[in-house]
Amino acid sequence: MSTLTNKSTNKSENTENDFDKIEKRALISKRIRLTITYIFLSIWAIVVLFPFYWMILTSIKSYSSYNSEHMPKFYASDPTLKNYADAFSAVPLAKYFLNTLVFTLVTTALMMVVIILAAFAFSRLSFKGKNLLFAFFLALMMIPNELVVITNFVTITNMDLRNTFTGLILPSVTSVFYIYLLKENFEAIPENLYKAAKVDGTSDLKYLVKVMLPISQPTIVTIIILKVIECWNSYVWPRLITDDENYYLVSNGIQEIRENGFGRENIPAMMAAVVVISVPLIILFLIFHKKIMNGVSRGGTKG
């Protein structure tokens, strides 16, 4: 009996030792994977962030010290903020900011009205040819943007809207992708709510404003932020449709700064202007990046 007990005890101890070894191996393997992952992410972060560091570093170097460097330095020996003062005094950068702000706010507001109504119609209303029409809209996403720019340019020119805010804004007041994203989000709302609202005599517009928009708030906020970033970075269309400095945006105003502001050689002043232009978007993304990811994931998930 004693022998059987000892064998059972030894077997139990061996089993525990085996479990301990397996756990240790799993823990070591997990730590190795995490270490490799963090090393890779750190290297990738350096690669991604280095251009921003170099942009800011160059913007605080004086013109003389920058030109005297035979080899690029990773620090500023005599940092100065004069380049930032020049960015607002040598060129009308403040006017470019104001133009971009007007363009961004008006375009985003008009687009939200258009895509919300369109997404509601495709997700809740029943009309003949709805699916075919929506499929046609989705097919438009396959057309290269360059072809759309050409047709928009001809249309705006024929309407005599060049060098106007109307000409800048009109081609950007809708987006098939955002309609699709918001439609998927609207369809995730139970249809029973819509039927109950209709039984109570609620109009479609009131149901949209009181029920659907509050429920879809994360996706709507995401779309607004993405559209603001898109408008702020818009370059090709504003550059094509405006040749009057009074309607320049910050993106295509950079070219004007380079040509007629600081000159091609004053790279530090150019970098200061680019930093000033980039800061609002960086701050916006850092504040709302979680909402952006949450809204996109909700928009692509039904149920």
Side-chain angles (χ1 to χ4, degrees):
M1 187 72 179
S2 175
T3 303
L4 292 174
T5 304
N6 291 335
K7 287 182 178 180
S8 177
T9 303
N10 292 334
K11 186 177 180 180
S12 176
E13 291 177 353
N14 291 334
T15 303
E16 291 180 358
N17 291 333
D18 291 339
F19 278 130
D20 290 340
K21 290 179 181 179
I22 293 173
E23 289 180 357
K24 288 180 180 179
R25 289 175 184 174
L27 182 60
I28 293 173
S29 177
K30 181 180 179 180
R31 288 178 177 175
I32 292 174
R33 287 197 304 270
L34 287 176
T35 302
I36 294 174
T37 301
Y38 285 133
I39 291 174
F40 174 77
L41 291 176
S42 299
I43 295 173
W44 186 250
I46 292 173
V47 171
V48 172
L49 295 177
F50 181 77
F52 294 97
Y53 167 76
W54 195 257
M55 176 178 67
I56 295 172
L57 176 66
T58 305
S59 70
I60 61 175
K61 291 182 178 180
S62 64
Y63 177 77
S64 57
S65 65
Y66 178 82
N67 287 334
S68 63
E69 292 179 356
H70 300 290
M71 290 291 293
K73 295 180 180 179
F74 292 87
Y75 62 92
S77 55
D78 54 343
T80 177
L81 296 179
K82 182 178 182 298
N83 297 320
Y84 289 90
D86 293 340
F88 285 94
S89 60
V91 292
L93 188 59
K95 181 188 292 184
Y96 300 157
F97 261 97
L98 180 60
N99 291 344
T100 307
L101 186 63
V102 172
F103 169 72
T104 300
L105 293 179
V106 175
T107 301
T108 303
L110 291 177
M111 189 205 72
M112 292 307 301
V113 173
V114 172
I115 68 169
I116 286 173
L117 295 178
F120 177 77
F122 283 120
S123 62
R124 283 291 176 263
L125 302 184
S126 297
F127 54 90
K128 189 175 181 180
K130 181 178 74 171
N131 294 332
L132 181 62
L133 181 60
F134 187 69
F136 173 74
F137 278 169
L138 291 181
L140 293 177
M141 296 176 63
M142 303 297 107
I143 300 176
N145 290 331
E146 289 77 9
L147 296 182
V148 178
V149 167
I150 293 171
T151 55
N152 286 340
F153 175 78
V154 173
T155 303
I156 294 299
T157 301
N158 291 339
M159 295 174 65
D160 197 25
L161 292 177
R162 291 195 63 196
N163 292 319
T164 63
F165 280 112
T166 304
L168 279 170
I169 292 169
L170 273 182
S172 303
V173 296
T174 188
S175 169
V176 176
F177 172 73
Y178 291 145
I179 292 174
Y180 166 76
L181 185 66
L182 197 55
K183 170 184 173 292
E184 292 295 304
N185 203 256
F186 283 171
E187 288 183 341
I189 300 173
E191 192 173 358
N192 292 335
L193 292 177
Y194 180 66
K195 293 180 179 179
K198 297 303 291 182
V199 170
D200 291 339
T202 304
S203 65
D204 288 336
L205 182 60
K206 187 175 181 180
Y207 174 76
L208 172 64
V209 174
K210 297 293 185 179
V211 178
M212 300 190 81
L213 293 186
I215 294 176
S216 304
Q217 184 180 3
T219 302
I220 292 174
V221 171
T222 299
I223 292 174
I224 292 174
I225 296 170
L226 293 178
K227 186 61 179 180
V228 167
I229 295 174
E230 177 187 328
C231 291
W232 197 271
N233 289 329
S234 182
Y235 176 80
V236 175
W237 177 249
R239 186 69 179 175
L240 186 65
I241 207 68
T242 59
D243 52 21
D244 185 348
E245 188 180 274
N246 292 321
Y247 297 97
Y248 280 171
L249 307 184
V250 290
S251 55
N252 52 30
I254 293 176
Q255 185 66 25
E256 180 68 15
I257 291 172
R258 183 171 181 264
E259 296 291 343
N260 303 319
F262 309 123
R264 296 174 180 267
E265 298 81 13
N266 196 346
I267 302 300
M270 275 289 300
M271 289 298 102
V274 174
V275 170
V276 171
I277 293 170
S278 303
V279 164
L281 289 186
I282 295 174
I283 295 175
L284 183 69
F285 181 79
L286 291 177
I287 294 174
F288 295 105
H289 71 280
K290 290 184 179 179
K291 290 185 178 293
I292 293 175
M293 301 310 297
N294 182 39
V296 171
S297 62
R298 281 172 59 97
T301 305
K302 295 182 66 174

PDB file of all heavy atoms in Angstrom, residues 273-287:
ATOM      1  N   ALA A 273       6.785  76.912 -42.740  1.00  0.00           N
ATOM      2  CA  ALA A 273       5.428  77.048 -43.278  1.00  0.00           C
ATOM      3  C   ALA A 273       4.725  75.694 -43.327  1.00  0.00           C
ATOM      4  O   ALA A 273       3.540  75.587 -42.996  1.00  0.00           O
ATOM      5  CB  ALA A 273       5.482  77.666 -44.680  1.00  0.00           C
ATOM      6  N   VAL A 274       5.445  74.655 -43.711  1.00  0.00           N
ATOM      7  CA  VAL A 274       4.853  73.313 -43.775  1.00  0.00           C
ATOM      8  C   VAL A 274       4.468  72.831 -42.378  1.00  0.00           C
ATOM      9  O   VAL A 274       3.423  72.194 -42.194  1.00  0.00           O
ATOM     10  CB  VAL A 274       5.834  72.332 -44.445  1.00  0.00           C
ATOM     11  CG1 VAL A 274       5.293  70.908 -44.378  1.00  0.00           C
ATOM     12  CG2 VAL A 274       6.074  72.727 -45.899  1.00  0.00           C
ATOM     13  N   VAL A 275       5.297  73.109 -41.379  1.00  0.00           N
ATOM     14  CA  VAL A 275       4.975  72.719 -40.006  1.00  0.00           C
ATOM     15  C   VAL A 275       3.694  73.408 -39.551  1.00  0.00           C
ATOM     16  O   VAL A 275       2.795  72.778 -38.974  1.00  0.00           O
ATOM     17  CB  VAL A 275       6.142  73.066 -39.055  1.00  0.00           C
ATOM     18  CG1 VAL A 275       5.706  72.901 -37.597  1.00  0.00           C
ATOM     19  CG2 VAL A 275       7.345  72.180 -39.335  1.00  0.00           C
ATOM     20  N   VAL A 276       3.590  74.708 -39.808  1.00  0.00           N
ATOM     21  CA  VAL A 276       2.403  75.467 -39.410  1.00  0.00           C
ATOM     22  C   VAL A 276       1.151  74.883 -40.071  1.00  0.00           C
ATOM     23  O   VAL A 276       0.089  74.757 -39.437  1.00  0.00           O
ATOM     24  CB  VAL A 276       2.571  76.956 -39.792  1.00  0.00           C
ATOM     25  CG1 VAL A 276       1.266  77.712 -39.593  1.00  0.00           C
ATOM     26  CG2 VAL A 276       3.673  77.586 -38.951  1.00  0.00           C
ATOM     27  N   ILE A 277       1.268  74.488 -41.328  1.00  0.00           N
ATOM     28  CA  ILE A 277       0.134  73.932 -42.055  1.00  0.00           C
ATOM     29  C   ILE A 277      -0.224  72.542 -41.540  1.00  0.00           C
ATOM     30  O   ILE A 277      -1.406  72.155 -41.497  1.00  0.00           O
ATOM     31  CB  ILE A 277       0.453  73.886 -43.564  1.00  0.00           C
ATOM     32  CG1 ILE A 277       0.548  75.315 -44.109  1.00  0.00           C
ATOM     33  CG2 ILE A 277      -0.592  73.080 -44.332  1.00  0.00           C
ATOM     34  CD1 ILE A 277       1.081  75.390 -45.526  1.00  0.00           C
ATOM     35  N   SER A 278       0.772  71.766 -41.122  1.00  0.00           N
ATOM     36  CA  SER A 278       0.549  70.372 -40.719  1.00  0.00           C
ATOM     37  C   SER A 278       0.036  70.227 -39.293  1.00  0.00           C
ATOM     38  O   SER A 278      -0.660  69.254 -38.984  1.00  0.00           O
ATOM     39  CB  SER A 278       1.849  69.576 -40.861  1.00  0.00           C
ATOM     40  OG  SER A 278       2.355  69.649 -42.179  1.00  0.00           O
ATOM     41  N   VAL A 279       0.371  71.163 -38.428  1.00  0.00           N
ATOM     42  CA  VAL A 279       0.044  71.034 -37.006  1.00  0.00           C
ATOM     43  C   VAL A 279      -1.454  70.837 -36.742  1.00  0.00           C
ATOM     44  O   VAL A 279      -1.832  69.964 -35.951  1.00  0.00           O
ATOM     45  CB  VAL A 279       0.590  72.246 -36.215  1.00  0.00           C
ATOM     46  CG1 VAL A 279      -0.058  72.352 -34.846  1.00  0.00           C
ATOM     47  CG2 VAL A 279       2.093  72.112 -36.047  1.00  0.00           C
ATOM     48  N   PRO A 280      -2.368  71.611 -37.365  1.00  0.00           N
ATOM     49  CA  PRO A 280      -3.802  71.397 -37.076  1.00  0.00           C
ATOM     50  C   PRO A 280      -4.277  69.975 -37.357  1.00  0.00           C
ATOM     51  O   PRO A 280      -5.040  69.407 -36.564  1.00  0.00           O
ATOM     52  CB  PRO A 280      -4.488  72.408 -38.002  1.00  0.00           C
ATOM     53  CG  PRO A 280      -3.480  73.478 -38.217  1.00  0.00           C
ATOM     54  CD  PRO A 280      -2.172  72.772 -38.257  1.00  0.00           C
ATOM     55  N   LEU A 281      -3.829  69.386 -38.453  1.00  0.00           N
ATOM     56  CA  LEU A 281      -4.248  68.028 -38.780  1.00  0.00           C
ATOM     57  C   LEU A 281      -3.662  67.011 -37.816  1.00  0.00           C
ATOM     58  O   LEU A 281      -4.331  66.044 -37.433  1.00  0.00           O
ATOM     59  CB  LEU A 281      -3.834  67.676 -40.210  1.00  0.00           C
ATOM     60  CG  LEU A 281      -4.593  68.377 -41.328  1.00  0.00           C
ATOM     61  CD1 LEU A 281      -4.167  67.812 -42.672  1.00  0.00           C
ATOM     62  CD2 LEU A 281      -6.085  68.213 -41.149  1.00  0.00           C
ATOM     63  N   ILE A 282      -2.416  67.216 -37.416  1.00  0.00           N
ATOM     64  CA  ILE A 282      -1.792  66.288 -36.470  1.00  0.00           C
ATOM     65  C   ILE A 282      -2.533  66.310 -35.138  1.00  0.00           C
ATOM     66  O   ILE A 282      -2.833  65.266 -34.550  1.00  0.00           O
ATOM     67  CB  ILE A 282      -0.303  66.649 -36.270  1.00  0.00           C
ATOM     68  CG1 ILE A 282       0.461  66.434 -37.583  1.00  0.00           C
ATOM     69  CG2 ILE A 282       0.316  65.814 -35.160  1.00  0.00           C
ATOM     70  CD1 ILE A 282       1.908  66.900 -37.529  1.00  0.00           C
ATOM     71  N   ILE A 283      -2.858  67.505 -34.660  1.00  0.00           N
ATOM     72  CA  ILE A 283      -3.599  67.637 -33.405  1.00  0.00           C
ATOM     73  C   ILE A 283      -4.979  67.001 -33.535  1.00  0.00           C
ATOM     74  O   ILE A 283      -5.438  66.281 -32.641  1.00  0.00           O
ATOM     75  CB  ILE A 283      -3.711  69.120 -33.004  1.00  0.00           C
ATOM     76  CG1 ILE A 283      -2.325  69.691 -32.685  1.00  0.00           C
ATOM     77  CG2 ILE A 283      -4.647  69.288 -31.812  1.00  0.00           C
ATOM     78  CD1 ILE A 283      -2.332  71.178 -32.391  1.00  0.00           C
ATOM     79  N   LEU A 284      -5.646  67.256 -34.662  1.00  0.00           N
ATOM     80  CA  LEU A 284      -6.982  66.696 -34.884  1.00  0.00           C
ATOM     81  C   LEU A 284      -6.944  65.172 -34.861  1.00  0.00           C
ATOM     82  O   LEU A 284      -7.794  64.530 -34.238  1.00  0.00           O
ATOM     83  CB  LEU A 284      -7.527  67.189 -36.221  1.00  0.00           C
ATOM     84  CG  LEU A 284      -8.960  66.760 -36.578  1.00  0.00           C
ATOM     85  CD1 LEU A 284      -9.960  67.458 -35.665  1.00  0.00           C
ATOM     86  CD2 LEU A 284      -9.260  67.081 -38.033  1.00  0.00           C
ATOM     87  N   PHE A 285      -5.957  64.596 -35.513  1.00  0.00           N
ATOM     88  CA  PHE A 285      -5.877  63.137 -35.564  1.00  0.00           C
ATOM     89  C   PHE A 285      -5.539  62.557 -34.199  1.00  0.00           C
ATOM     90  O   PHE A 285      -6.093  61.530 -33.792  1.00  0.00           O
ATOM     91  CB  PHE A 285      -4.824  62.704 -36.585  1.00  0.00           C
ATOM     92  CG  PHE A 285      -4.699  61.211 -36.708  1.00  0.00           C
ATOM     93  CD1 PHE A 285      -5.615  60.488 -37.440  1.00  0.00           C
ATOM     94  CD2 PHE A 285      -3.673  60.532 -36.066  1.00  0.00           C
ATOM     95  CE1 PHE A 285      -5.514  59.104 -37.554  1.00  0.00           C
ATOM     96  CE2 PHE A 285      -3.558  59.164 -36.162  1.00  0.00           C
ATOM     97  CZ  PHE A 285      -4.486  58.447 -36.908  1.00  0.00           C
ATOM     98  N   LEU A 286      -4.619  63.187 -33.468  1.00  0.00           N
ATOM     99  CA  LEU A 286      -4.247  62.672 -32.150  1.00  0.00           C
ATOM    100  C   LEU A 286      -5.434  62.700 -31.185  1.00  0.00           C
ATOM    101  O   LEU A 286      -5.578  61.811 -30.341  1.00  0.00           O
ATOM    102  CB  LEU A 286      -3.086  63.489 -31.579  1.00  0.00           C
ATOM    103  CG  LEU A 286      -1.739  63.320 -32.280  1.00  0.00           C
ATOM    104  CD1 LEU A 286      -0.698  64.246 -31.661  1.00  0.00           C
ATOM    105  CD2 LEU A 286      -1.260  61.879 -32.232  1.00  0.00           C
ATOM    106  N   ILE A 287      -6.289  63.700 -31.317  1.00  0.00           N
ATOM    107  CA  ILE A 287      -7.439  63.815 -30.422  1.00  0.00           C
ATOM    108  C   ILE A 287      -8.526  62.800 -30.779  1.00  0.00           C
ATOM    109  O   ILE A 287      -9.124  62.176 -29.893  1.00  0.00           O
ATOM    110  CB  ILE A 287      -8.016  65.248 -30.460  1.00  0.00           C
ATOM    111  CG1 ILE A 287      -6.997  66.239 -29.868  1.00  0.00           C
ATOM    112  CG2 ILE A 287      -9.327  65.329 -29.686  1.00  0.00           C
ATOM    113  CD1 ILE A 287      -7.423  67.688 -29.985  1.00  0.00           C
TER     114      ILE A 287
END
